[in-house]
């Protein structure tokens, strides 16, 4: 059984920083994507950042470029999201997810991901 365990999150003021981590267990994949998505109340789930197993390539949504950094450890099936210069619009539940098919063109599509964490709340207040 695949498990994604997330940690981090919490409440910060505008301009603050938080770090999220996620570890996948229960199955090993030869190729995969691991990613962070977020969902704010009343909004659709959106891509934030992704990690590709092959070469450790990373991808970021335009809205977080220059502020967020994703890193990954292929051997440990772990990704982390360092979030700096947080804004109120970053407030959301953040989800870790795994796509075991690793189709690059679908990296940013939540429907492509088979496994999801329980989510962790990030709240940025002004």
């Amino acid at each position: 059984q695949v498990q994604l365990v997330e940690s981090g999150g919490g409440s910060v003021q505008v301009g603050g920083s938080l770090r999220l981590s996620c570890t996948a267990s229960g199955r090993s994949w030869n190729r995969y994507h691991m990613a962070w998505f977020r969902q704010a109340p009343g909004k659709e789930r959106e891509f934030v950042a992704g990690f590709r197993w092959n070469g450790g390539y990373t991808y970021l949504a335009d809205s977080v470029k220059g502020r967020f950094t994703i890193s990954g450890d292929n051997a440990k099936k772990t990704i982390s999201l360092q979030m700096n210069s947080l804004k109120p619009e970053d407030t959301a539940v953040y989800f870790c997810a795994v796509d075991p098919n690793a189709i690059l063109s679908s990296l940013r599509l939540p429907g492509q991901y088979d496994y999801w964490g329980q989510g962790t709340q990030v709240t940025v207040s002004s």
Side-chain angles (χ1 to χ4, degrees):
Q1 182 177 356
V2 175
Q3 270 196 316
L4 300 182
V5 179
E6 301 153 340
S7 61
S11 297
V12 295
Q13 293 190 325
V14 169
S17 298
L18 287 171
R19 184 176 180 87
L20 307 180
S21 293
C22 174
T23 298
S25 63
R27 185 173 294 181
S28 182
W29 302 282
N30 292 327
R31 50 186 294 164
Y32 65 97
H33 292 148
M34 283 186 77
W36 289 100
F37 289 81
R38 66 187 181 186
Q39 189 166 19
K43 294 189 176 182
E44 293 186 351
R45 192 165 297 190
E46 65 173 358
F47 173 82
V48 178
F51 173 82
R52 181 171 169 83
W53 103 102
N54 184 14
Y57 292 106
T58 59
Y59 306 85
L60 293 169
D62 288 344
S63 59
V64 304
K65 284 181 180 177
R67 301 188 298 121
F68 291 12
T69 303
I70 184 172
S71 59
D73 185 325
N74 189 25
K76 296 180 179 180
K77 299 295 189 288
T78 296
I79 56 172
S80 296
L81 185 67
Q82 178 64 42
M83 305 184 292
N84 299 327
S85 302
L86 284 161
K87 304 176 180 180
E89 50 264 42
D90 295 317
T91 296
V93 177
Y94 284 68
F95 297 90
C96 174
V98 170
D99 169 18
N101 298 304
I103 300 173
L104 186 56
S105 61
S106 303
L107 174 75
R108 299 167 188 263
L109 303 178
Q112 189 64 28
Y113 289 75
D114 291 348
Y115 306 104
W116 292 84
Q118 78 282 0
T120 185
Q121 177 70 45
V122 171
T123 302
V124 185
S125 57
S126 56

